[in-house]
């Protein structure tokens, strides 16, 4: 649509320009004719030759002009001027103007009927030139005695030059003729050509005057001059073309990239063929995609972009691709399938040919002209074919180069991806290991030090705030790690929340300084998506001994040291020592044994009484897991619950404990009168709390064992709910729904206890042992316990004081308002038999210790 509008605009502009020139010219002719020409005397040598000869001369002259291959050729012969000079002597001014108009009009009518306005301009410019020649000639004759003598000849020559010069200027002003010689050269050549052909005409007049038919012989030099000129100009054009071809190929070849190359190609094609437009259509690699199209026009930048072709152009491209040679599309003589192409493109004529290379057609190159006469010949087509042959190869090379550079870029990208972490952009484990290996090989005096970093409790952040925030945090951590190391050190992300730094150090202190910087830098809070997040890091450092330590081993050692840093309280760095491996191995063995503990029936349960502090009665028993590990004796839960939780086996252990505790509690309820309401407390590990099937499993166990739901208390810890508070809340609500009671264990040791009290459906608080330990003497502890009791009471929660070891502590917590107590003072955790023995006693004597059975 846009192309069509542009063409229409171009045509309008040309019409306006032509009309602008035509108007004054016609006016001038009318004025000249009215004032001078019509009053001029008759012929000087009437009757020598018939008037129709002049018509024929002008017809031939105009045909020659229309078919002249170049402006040089045209003006160098100026055939019209011969006719004008003949007319000055042989016919009346009116006859001269009429014969010229007639001859030229017939020639124009044959070839230019499509553009009547242009034809009219041409006729007008001829008429003006001739009228002027008449005026000049007769004005000069007024001062010459013998008009047929040498002075008359000079007058005729001057008149002819003045006339043809004017006609040339008018044609140039109307924008006719698109050949590129300068106006000065054209005028100079026109004057010379005018003098030459006028002289021949004068000679013809002179010979005719003496009745010599030899006048006709003068046609021979004239025609042979024309033929020679044609041959010369065609040879000259070929040479010019060759030079242009060579130069344009060089400039296309030099252009960087396909787009500029094609732009250059089109510009040179236009110049080469003196065309109005040059268009290239490049076939896409993917046949379903639109072709790349670029068009060069005067004064406009060429853009190469995918575009859909107009219907006729598409057909033309198809045709050019199908046939071996190019296509010459001339008005009225176009190949049948391409009728309408010139109108569609707004062109006078066009030539097109396929751009071919060894691997096939690359596309099609089309050039179009809009000059007054058809400007392309079969010679131009051959030139275009030659040119397109070279251009096709260049384009293919360019495309190859482009796809080659694309492949190289892709390879580089893949290489980068293979060696870098996508999230943080840091080197990944593969690249890091490579760098470590290289650093170890490079030897003394510096040693390769690997710092292994692991974020503390990153999983909790990721689970509770979402992976999006987790990712943001990792990126921010990566930035701080990179900023904390020295230039030349290699920071890397090994995966998950593990980072590492490779540093070449001379003394261990250098690595320690970096580790210290890392720990301190990461301890500063992060601001991720508007949230302030605190995360800490544990760092392990290991040193490579050149030639001894392998890269893998060095990384493993740093990892082991990092674990040690975590175990010894996190937020610190620890340097590797060989015995650490022992601990790691122990841990690995523990993990392996733990995985088989349940199926081997090694998990047992001990119970610790929870006593009603007013009546000193056992009202509940807390179930505490015990692992009787082969060759290791009985293990306390603190030594295996965290690992089991981490490994995922805690869910199964927890299920075993719960089932056993419920079964046992129900058995005691039945066996011991007065204990029908006996409650059992069971601990839930973080992983259990996030088991979506928990409520379902609890309900099943209650059903299986026959324990009433309100006789079961599930104890949760704050670290357990912290991992994903929303999920935990959901599970707790489901448990509540079952009728199970919920207790918050170790209250006071977590971070945000008060918030949890509000958010979670709780029934009971268990005051952590450290608060009780300071009683009765510690006043501050008393204040805390008092405050907790008041808070709990106002929220309607029961309070159990944990870790009561003395009578004084029992009395103190009772005095502060605690309803229940638990601790060694009342009884240590014991097995089934131990519990049975004291459940039989009706009431516990005040201050009496229960039988001890279990010693951790
Ligand atoms: P907890 O739930 O707070 O259990 C009370 C812990 O305090 C028990 O340690 C108990 O032996 C100890 N204790 C009781 N009275 C006193 C006292 O007067 N002084 C002192 N110093 N300590 C006292 P235990 O049995 O080693 O259990 C430790 C922790 O392991 C438990 O703390 C609980 O959080 C966890 N745990 C125990 N069994 C299980 C279980 O089956 N599942 C889960 N998830 N965690 C369990
Ligand atoms: Mg507990
Ligand atoms: Mg506790």
């Amino acid at each position: 649509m846009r192309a069509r509008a542009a063409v229409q605009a171009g045509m309008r502009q040309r019409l306006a320009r032509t009309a602008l020139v035509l108007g004054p010219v016609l006016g001038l002719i009318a004025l000249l004719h009215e004032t001078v020409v019509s009053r001029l005397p008759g012929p000087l040598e009437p009757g020598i030759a018939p008037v129709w000869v002049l018509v024929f001369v002008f017809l031939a002259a105009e045909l020659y002009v229309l078919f002249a291959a170049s402006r040089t050729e045209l003006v160098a012969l100026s055939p019209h001027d011969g006719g004008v000079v003949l007319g000055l002597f042989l016919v009346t001014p009116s006859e001269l103007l009429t014969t010229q108009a007639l001859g030229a009009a017939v020639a124009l009518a044959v070839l230019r009927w499509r553009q009547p306005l242009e034809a009219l301009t041409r006729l007008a410019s001829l008429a003006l030139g001739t009228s002027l020649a008449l005026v000049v000639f007769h004005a000069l004759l007024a001062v010459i005695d013998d008009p047929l003598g040498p002075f008359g000849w000079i007058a005729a020559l001057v008149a002819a030059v003045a006339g043809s010069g004017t006609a040339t200027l008018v044609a140039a002003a109307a924008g006719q003729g698109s050949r590129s010689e300068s106006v000065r050269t054209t005028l100079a050549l026109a004057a010379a050509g005018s003098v030459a052909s006028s002289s021949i005409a004068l000679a013809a007049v002179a010979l005719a005057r003496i009745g010599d038919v030899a006048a006709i012989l003068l046609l021979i030099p004239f025609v042979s001059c024309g033929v020679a000129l044609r041959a010369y100009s065609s040879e000259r054009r070929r040479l010019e073309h060759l030079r242009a071809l060579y130069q344009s190929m060089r400039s296309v070849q030099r252009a960087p990239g396909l787009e500029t190359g094609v732009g250059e190609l089109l510009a040179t094609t236009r110049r080469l063929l003196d065309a109005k437009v040059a268009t290239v259509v490049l076939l896409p690699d993917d046949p379903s995609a639109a072709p790349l199209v670029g068009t060069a026009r005067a004064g406009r930048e060429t853009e190469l972009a995918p575009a859909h072709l107009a219907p006729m152009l598409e057909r033309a491209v198809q045709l050019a691709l199908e046939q071996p040679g190019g296509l010459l599309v001339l008005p009225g003589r176009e190949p049948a399938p391409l009728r309408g192409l010139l109108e569609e493109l707004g062109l006078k004529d066009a030539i097109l040919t396929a751009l071919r290379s060894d691997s096939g057609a690359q596309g099609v190159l089309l050039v179009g002209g809009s000059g007054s006469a058809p400007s392309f010949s079969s010679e131009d087509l051959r030139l275009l074919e030659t040119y397109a042959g070279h251009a096709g190869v260049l384009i293919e090379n360019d495309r190859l180069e482009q796809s080659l550079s694309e492949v190289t870029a892709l390879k580089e990208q893949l290489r980068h991806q293979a060696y870098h972490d996508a999230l943080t952009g840091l080197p990944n484990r593969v690249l890091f290991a490579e760098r470590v290996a290289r650093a170890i090989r490079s030897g003394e005096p510096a040693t390769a030090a690997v710092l292994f970093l692991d974020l503390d409790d990153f999983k909790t952040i990721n689970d509770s705030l979402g992976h999006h925030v987790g990712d943001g945090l990792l990126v921010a951590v990566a930035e701080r790690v990179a900023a904390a190391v020295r230039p030349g050190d290699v920071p890397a992300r090994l995966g998950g929340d593990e980072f590492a730094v490779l540093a070449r150090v001379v003394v261990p202190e250098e690595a320690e300084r970096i580790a210290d910087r890392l720990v301190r830098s990461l301890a500063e809070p992060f601001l991720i998506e508007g949230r302030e997040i605190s995360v800490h890091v544990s760092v392990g450092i290991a040193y490579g001994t050149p030639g001894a330590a392998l890269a893998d081993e060095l990384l493993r050692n740093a990892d082991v040291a990092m674990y040690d840093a975590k175990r010894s309280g996190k937020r610190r760095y620890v340097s590797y020592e060989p015995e650490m491996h022992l601990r790691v191995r122990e841990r690995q063995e523990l993990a392996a044994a733990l995985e088989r503990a349940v199926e081997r029936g090694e998990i047992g349960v001990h119970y610790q009484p929870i006593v009603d502090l007013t009546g000193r009665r056992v009202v509940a028993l807390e179930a505490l897991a015990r692992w009787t590990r082969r060759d290791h004796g009985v293990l306390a839960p603190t030594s295996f619950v965290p690992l089991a939780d981490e490994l995922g086996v805690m869910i199964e252990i927890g299920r075993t404990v719960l089932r056993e505790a419920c079964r046992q509690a129900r058995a005691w309820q039945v066996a011991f009168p007065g204990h029908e309401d006996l409650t059992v407390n069971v601990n839930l590990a973080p992983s259990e709390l996030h088991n979506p099937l928990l409520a379902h499993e609890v309900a099943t166990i209650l059903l299986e064992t026959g324990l009433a739901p309100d006789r079961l208390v599930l104890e949760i810890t704050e670290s357990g709910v912290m991992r994903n508070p929303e999920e935990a809340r959901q599970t707790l609500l489901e448990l509540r729904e079952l009728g199970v009671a919920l207790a918050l264990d170790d209250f006071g040791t977590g971070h945000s206890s008060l918030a949890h009290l509000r958010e979670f459906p709780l029934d009971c608080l268990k005051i952590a042992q450290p608060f009780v330990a300071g009683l009765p003497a510690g006043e501050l502890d008393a204040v805390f316990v008092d405050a907790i009791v008041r808070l709990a009471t106002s929220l309607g929660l029961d309070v159990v004081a944990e870790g009561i070891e003395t009578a004084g502590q029992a009395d103190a917590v009772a005095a502060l308002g605690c309803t229940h107590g638990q601790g060694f003072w009342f009884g240590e955790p014991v097995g089934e038999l131990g519990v049975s023995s004291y459940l039989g006693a009706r009431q516990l004597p005040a201050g009496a210790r229960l039988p001890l059975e279990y010693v951790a």
Side-chain angles (χ1 to χ4, degrees):
M1 283 304 278
R2 272 175 52 203
R4 206 192 175 121
V7 167
Q8 282 174 353
M11 265 166 67
R12 272 201 299 276
Q13 203 180 358
R14 244 186 30 238
L15 276 177
R17 194 169 159 189
T18 309
L20 215 67
V21 175
L22 193 57
V25 168
L26 288 177
L28 203 62
I29 293 169
L31 186 75
L32 275 177
H33 203 264
E34 214 27 59
T35 53
V36 191
V37 178
S38 60
R39 291 182 202 158
L40 291 178
L44 298 175
E45 286 290 333
I48 289 182
V51 173
W52 63 262
V53 170
L54 265 189
V55 175
F56 175 76
V57 167
F58 284 120
L59 173 71
E62 187 62 10
L63 283 177
Y64 179 81
V65 168
L66 291 178
F67 284 108
S70 73
R71 183 156 286 268
T72 320
E73 185 185 316
L74 159 70
V75 295
L77 201 61
S78 281
H80 267 287
D81 296 348
V84 171
V85 169
L86 281 178
L88 289 179
F89 288 91
L90 306 183
V91 294
T92 64
S94 314
E95 278 168 344
L96 172 58
L97 285 168
T98 319
T99 48
Q100 185 181 44
L102 210 65
V106 172
L108 285 169
V110 174
L111 292 167
R112 280 204 205 164
W113 59 274
R114 275 161 188 269
Q115 274 120 345
L117 201 62
E118 279 185 13
L120 202 62
T121 315
R122 171 76 187 149
L123 288 179
S125 71
L126 284 177
L128 183 69
T130 307
S131 302
L132 215 77
L134 277 165
V135 172
V136 171
F137 182 59
H138 284 278
L140 291 174
L141 284 192
V143 291
I144 292 169
D145 296 337
D146 176 16
L148 296 169
F151 286 113
W153 301 343
I154 291 168
L157 288 180
V158 171
V161 170
S164 79
T166 311
T168 309
L169 283 178
V170 171
Q176 290 180 357
S178 56
R179 301 296 180 190
S180 49
E181 290 93 341
S182 76
V183 177
R184 252 174 73 192
T185 322
T186 309
L187 282 178
L189 268 172
S194 182
V195 170
S197 67
S198 303
S199 305
I200 289 179
L202 283 172
V205 171
L207 284 172
R209 265 186 76 213
I210 52 172
D212 201 333
V213 277
I216 296 178
L217 280 179
L218 285 173
L219 268 178
I220 295 169
F222 192 77
V223 170
S224 50
C225 253
V227 171
L229 206 57
R230 261 200 88 89
Y232 162 76
S233 74
S234 118
E235 197 52 40
R236 201 186 111 144
R237 271 189 92 191
R238 215 189 336 262
L239 259 171
E240 272 173 3
H241 285 166
L242 268 176
R243 195 180 310 133
L245 188 73
Y246 172 73
Q247 276 169 356
S248 64
M249 279 302 144
R250 274 174 67 91
S251 55
V252 172
Q253 210 159 15
R254 275 200 221 113
L258 183 67
E259 172 132 20
T260 17
V262 168
E264 192 64 37
L265 167 81
L266 292 176
T268 49
T269 314
R270 261 193 72 229
R271 243 179 312 166
L272 194 63
L273 289 159
D274 200 8
K276 181 190 168 202
V277 291
T279 296
V280 72
V281 177
L282 292 181
L283 303 179
D285 293 330
D286 167 14
S288 63
L292 286 176
V293 181
T295 297
R297 280 195 168 82
R300 247 192 267 170
E301 188 106 327
T302 309
E303 237 179 69
L304 193 62
H308 290 284
L309 303 178
M312 285 315 300
L313 181 59
E314 191 173 353
R315 197 173 302 172
V317 166
Q318 203 55 42
L319 204 66
L321 289 173
E322 279 164 12
Q323 67 170 47
L327 288 161
L328 184 58
V329 188
L330 296 176
R333 282 187 284 149
E334 57 263 88
L338 298 186
R339 219 157 276 148
L341 175 70
L342 296 176
E343 280 83 355
E344 185 181 271
L345 299 176
L347 296 173
K348 173 83 189 175
D349 55 357
I351 43 178
L352 65 156
T353 187
L355 288 160
R356 284 181 224 280
S357 66
D358 290 345
S359 61
Q362 302 290 324
V364 167
L365 184 60
L366 176 145
V367 293
S370 65
S372 53
S375 48
F376 299 127
S377 60
S378 47
E379 194 190 314
D380 291 322
L381 182 60
R382 273 200 305 284
L383 180 71
L384 186 73
E385 282 168 4
T386 320
Y387 189 65
H390 292 289
V393 175
L394 286 186
I395 287 175
E396 189 191 24
N397 288 349
D398 243 345
R399 276 187 167 179
L400 277 180
E401 213 168 275
Q402 191 166 340
S403 52
L404 207 69
S405 68
E406 274 166 15
V407 168
T408 319
L410 196 70
K411 249 168 66 184
E412 187 47 44
Q413 198 183 335
L414 285 176
R415 216 187 82 83
H416 190 270
Q417 276 171 11
Y419 284 112
H420 290 82
D421 169 49
L423 180 67
T424 61
L426 289 182
N428 64 10
R429 189 180 281 274
V430 181
L431 182 56
F432 189 71
E434 248 178 44
R435 290 292 167 83
V436 172
R438 200 189 299 170
I440 293 174
R441 278 200 304 273
S442 66
E444 310 267 357
T447 306
V450 169
L451 289 81
F452 198 110
L453 289 76
D454 189 286
L455 300 184
D456 301 332
D457 306 316
F458 175 73
K459 190 167 163 42
T460 311
I461 292 168
N462 215 19
D463 288 348
S464 58
L465 300 177
H467 289 259
H468 199 56
V469 174
D471 282 356
L473 181 63
L474 288 174
V475 171
V477 167
E479 281 166 8
R480 282 203 198 164
V481 170
V485 302
R486 307 167 306 179
D489 293 344
V490 182
R493 181 179 173 217
L494 303 183
D497 59 350
E498 293 176 352
F499 292 83
V501 173
L502 166 67
R504 307 249 309 137
V505 297
V506 179
V507 285
E509 288 73 39
E510 282 183 69
E512 284 166 11
R513 265 203 301 278
I514 299 172
D516 184 52
R517 257 206 314 276
L518 285 166
V519 171
R520 275 189 293 116
S521 151
L522 294 179
E524 296 289 318
F526 289 87
L527 196 69
I528 310 290
E529 299 193 354
R531 279 168 194 270
E532 199 173 279
I533 298 176
S534 284
V535 71
H536 299 277
V537 69
S538 301
V539 183
I541 312 172
Y543 304 94
T545 355
L550 295 169
D552 271 2
E553 201 179 314
L554 189 51
L555 262 166
R556 223 176 14 249
N557 291 350
D559 191 3
V560 166
M562 185 278 295
Y563 258 103
D564 214 76
K566 267 208 197 301
R567 278 185 0 145
S568 48
K570 304 179 176 175
R571 305 185 196 185
R572 65 193 63 210
Y573 64 85
V574 167
S575 291
Y576 172 77
E577 283 158 25
E579 49 277 18
M580 287 176 184
H581 257 305
L582 205 65
R583 290 205 282 273
V584 169
R585 196 164 327 126
E586 276 172 10
R587 193 180 133 91
Q588 284 166 347
E589 284 169 7
L590 184 72
L594 197 54
E595 303 225 320
R596 294 191 299 269
V598 174
E599 65 186 67
R600 285 180 177 174
E602 294 176 356
I603 303 294
V605 186
H606 279 194
Y607 301 90
Q608 187 178 29
I610 296 171
V611 175
D612 168 9
L613 287 176
T614 35
R616 299 287 164 122
R617 253 182 98 237
V618 175
V619 290
L621 293 157
E622 176 168 3
L624 296 160
R626 297 291 178 262
W627 178 18
T628 315
R629 189 182 167 195
R630 248 182 227 183
D631 309 327
H632 287 79
V634 179
L635 300 185
T638 39
S639 64
F640 67 88
V641 168
L643 182 61
D645 202 37
E646 210 176 284
L647 296 173
V649 287
M650 197 53 215
I651 293 187
E652 194 171 358
I653 294 175
R655 205 183 288 136
T656 309
V657 172
L658 179 68
R659 187 177 293 115
E660 178 54 18
C662 291
R663 187 198 61 75
Q664 188 59 67
R666 180 66 195 140
W668 282 322
Q669 286 176 348
V670 175
F672 296 101
H675 285 294
E676 292 83 0
D677 286 344
L678 187 71
T679 304
V680 69
N681 285 31
V682 178
N683 294 284
L684 286 181
S687 60
E688 292 177 82
L689 199 55
H690 293 92
N691 169 15
L693 296 175
L694 181 68
H696 176 72
E697 287 174 6
V698 170
T700 314
I701 288 171
L702 288 172
L703 217 63
E704 276 171 17
T705 57
L707 187 74
D710 64 352
R711 297 299 93 201
L712 174 64
V713 177
L714 292 175
E715 298 189 3
I716 56 166
T717 56
E718 284 173 287
S719 56
V721 292
M722 261 299 281
R723 198 179 282 180
N724 187 342
E726 192 39 51
E727 203 179 88
R729 210 174 86 89
Q730 211 47 48
T731 311
L732 294 180
L733 284 173
E734 286 171 22
L735 291 170
R736 234 322 174 55
E737 195 90 329
L738 289 178
V740 172
L742 300 168
L744 189 58
D745 206 354
D746 303 331
F747 184 76
T749 55
H751 300 294
S752 47
S753 308
L754 289 181
H756 291 156
L757 287 184
R758 192 160 45 89
E759 283 169 25
F760 295 104
L762 296 170
D763 303 275
C764 175
L765 280 190
K766 296 184 78 174
I767 301 177
Q769 194 250 350
F771 292 102
V772 177
L775 297 176
E779 284 174 26
L780 201 61
D781 290 320
V783 172
F784 270 108
V785 173
D786 182 48
I788 294 170
V789 172
R790 281 171 199 278
L791 185 72
T793 318
S794 63
L795 290 168
L797 305 177
D798 287 341
V799 184
V800 179
E802 287 188 283
I804 299 172
E805 292 182 348
T806 65
Q809 288 170 346
D811 293 338
V813 293
L816 287 167
C818 288
T819 48
H820 297 86
Q822 178 184 0
F824 294 162
W825 175 251
F826 298 112
E828 295 192 5
V830 289
E832 180 206 334
L833 284 178
V835 177
S836 299
S837 69
Y838 65 71
L839 281 184
R842 299 194 76 204
Q843 194 182 9
L844 289 174
R849 307 273 310 263
L850 290 168
L852 299 182
E853 221 182 40
Y854 159 69
V855 179

